[in-house]
Amino acid sequence: MSAILDVRDLEVAFRTGGFLNRRDVLGVAGVSLEIHPGETFALVGESGSGKTTLARAVNHLQETSAGTVSFEGVRIDRLDRAAMKQVRRRMAMMFQDPIGSLSPRMTVGDLVTEPFRIHGEKVDYKAETERLLALVGLTADFAARFPHQLSGGQARRVGVARTIALNPALIIADEPTAGLDVSVQGEVLNLLNDLRERLGVAMLIITHNLHVVHHVADRMAVMYLGRFVESGPTEEIFRAPAHPYTAALLSANPEPDPDKAQDRIALPAEVPSLLARPSGCEFHTRCPWAQPRCQSDAPEIVDQGSRRVACHFPLAPGATPPAKERTA
Ligand code: ADP
Ligand code: MG
């Protein structure tokens, strides 16, 4: 089955500094990924790892400096505005802030049908409003409300309704559960799973919450300083992370299941600045398992079965850090 989204060696350079100290930093530093029809792919990593930049580059809201983005077999990273507008019917973006991303003066009915107006599609607005609200689990009387009259979870449902209005083949959702109560987060995730099943839509979900990933994603990638350090099937990665960074992220979000209780792997120090990328393996400054070689040689991304891992010393299942680095 051919990929619906095919990203190859993508780079996004940001220009920083002024006239005398101008330099480019790479927010995305060579990322490749494929998403297949109906598949959910999750992108995880700490804040600042480049997740939003990658999503914006895929949707061509952000200029890219190298690599390609192909969607439904067509290269889209150099398309003009008008052509991109057509692409965005099939590739819908859901933005982070549930309430703030809705125009405050529009009713819910106008908001969920706005995509039809933007694309000049004549439809029965009342019927479409009812259809879309029902799909996201809201009753028809919500159509007359304004965004400030909605809870965070209801606003997110309205955002989802707008996203699916034109029947896209791919939804890109940046932190779909951020800012929501934990109980509501589960509802939103169930809604996304439900829509995936009913509409067959593929999803690229960005999150720093690993519970979200486990709940929704078939495959996932872990991002660090603009690169993928590990990618592969979600279940496999959760069962046995191969990259120390993945292991640390998983141990910082322990499973509620006590049978899976494990030692927490502490990640020392802050994320390095993009202006001062570490030598060798860029994770070595924080890696509890780092060896001398990691300081000098950058690891290639290597296929390991169904996984791709960039590490000189990938972990065996259940590995724990050397004793001196362990915390209780
Ligand atoms: P994430 O979504 O994973 O938190 P972002 O993609 O927002 O990360 O940011 C990745 C990195 O790129 C950060 O270091 C951020 O400061 C930097 N960055 C984002 N946008 C710009 C910009 N317009 N100019 C310069 N640097 C930027
Ligand atoms: Mg972000």
Side-chain angles (χ1 to χ4, degrees), residues 47-48 50-53 96 174-175 206 208:
S47 177
K51 306 181 299 293
T52 295
T53 304
Q96 269 189 37
D174 194 353
E175 304 277 5
I206 295 166
H208 60 265

Side-chain angles (χ1 to χ4, degrees), residues 14-16 25 27 45-54 62 96 174 206 274:
F14 292 121
R15 181 144 287 188
T16 67
V25 297
E46 289 163 291
S47 177
S49 53
K51 306 181 299 293
T52 295
T53 304
L54 175 55
Q62 165 72 56
Q96 269 189 37
D174 194 353
I206 295 166
L274 294 179

